[in-house]
Amino acid sequence: WLIVSNDASQLPEQAARRYVALGLAVPAERFLMSGMLIPTWVQANGLDGARCKVLGSAASRAYASAAGVEVVDLRADRYEILAVCDESGFPFLEVLDDVLSELITSFEAGRPVRLVLPNPDLYYPKDERRFGVAAGSIAALIEAVLAARFPSLRPRFERLGKPHAPIFRAAVERVGTRRAVMVGDQLATDIRGALEFGLDAALVRGGLSQWDERTASPAETPTWLL
């Protein structure tokens, strides 16, 4: 079994320490974090050694470094890859303004930048009543600006985490079988992603998603309810 997480801001060792603090002794090797998918993506696209700007934490930059790319400083204005891993770890507005300017300049000069998004989540719960912006919302903003500027190109991020196939492919490779079930509390990521990949899915009630069979779409109808 694995804990499959869209989090690209923590290393498995950091996630394990957090779980221990919650009373759950989960070893680091049981975690599959979306940031761990960057090396496979880099290799599949022949981008070894490319210059990469990373928006995220120190762990996010470590994931990119492990992929064999050259992680550039946030002040760098020339790079071949933009990896949006997390919403924290950098001065948000200042860096985002710079990134938008750099991307527009690069695309206008005929130097398109590859865009990768390990964590497609738009938001996350801070507690029962408060929510925060996640990396997927930053990517959506960048995509909207680039689509307005380059309507014929409409550059898009390549999404690696749930509900997209790369993270499920990595998970079944790790556990060694497709006879698996995804247990989660989000219909749009955990349930939809598993079903589209051909896995069973169990929705935990009381989480982020509320189950209503009267309005549920087939794509988000779990195999089981817990």
Side-chain angles (χ1 to χ4, degrees):
W1 56 270
L2 295 172
I3 293 179
V4 181
S5 173
N6 273 357
D7 191 350
S9 68
Q10 294 185 88
L11 298 173
E13 295 77 14
Q14 294 172 307
R17 288 195 293 270
R18 177 171 172 266
Y19 273 60
V20 167
L22 296 171
L24 298 169
V26 180
E29 59 267 22
R30 292 291 189 178
F31 287 89
L32 175 60
M33 319 294 283
S34 66
M36 297 166 68
L37 306 176
I38 297 176
T40 301
W41 178 83
V42 167
Q43 293 166 10
N45 288 279
L47 294 169
D48 292 357
R51 289 167 58 84
C52 176
K53 178 172 283 193
V54 178
L55 303 190
S57 65
S60 304
R61 294 187 287 276
Y63 282 131
S65 293
V69 298
E70 178 189 350
V71 178
V72 302
D73 189 270
L74 284 176
R75 293 167 293 183
D77 59 0
R78 293 286 292 269
Y79 44 90
E80 291 81 48
I81 304 171
L82 173 67
V84 175
C85 297
D86 198 59
E87 70 285 350
S88 61
F90 56 94
F92 185 87
L93 185 59
E94 176 186 345
V95 168
L96 199 58
D97 283 351
D98 287 346
V99 164
L100 288 173
S101 302
E102 292 154 6
L103 291 176
I104 289 172
T105 299
S106 293
F107 277 96
E108 286 181 341
R111 293 183 279 102
V113 175
R114 296 295 295 270
L115 309 173
V116 63
L117 178 65
N119 180 4
D121 288 348
L122 297 174
Y123 70 103
Y124 69 98
K126 292 185 173 182
D127 54 42
E128 291 184 359
R129 296 179 179 273
R130 299 176 66 246
F131 299 88
V133 169
S137 289
I138 299 174
L141 187 156
I142 292 172
E143 286 178 340
V145 171
L146 293 179
R149 185 78 175 187
F150 307 104
S152 62
L153 292 177
R154 301 185 69 86
R156 297 271 299 168
F157 280 84
E158 296 185 54
R159 290 157 165 80
L160 306 181
K162 299 177 292 184
H164 303 279
I167 199 165
F168 290 98
R169 186 178 304 115
V172 298
E173 288 175 359
R174 283 272 298 273
V175 299
T177 179
R178 289 184 65 97
R179 293 193 64 201
V181 57
M182 177 72 202
V183 180
D185 68 346
Q186 296 192 53
L187 289 168
T189 56
D190 302 318
I191 306 306
R192 175 183 285 271
L195 295 175
E196 288 181 349
F197 194 71
L199 304 179
D200 287 346
L203 177 70
V204 180
R205 297 183 196 242
L208 284 181
S209 298
Q210 302 302 314
W211 171 252
D212 187 343
E213 62 182 353
R214 297 169 300 179
T215 59
S217 70
E220 296 182 357
T221 297
T223 318
W224 295 286
L225 293 173
L226 301 181

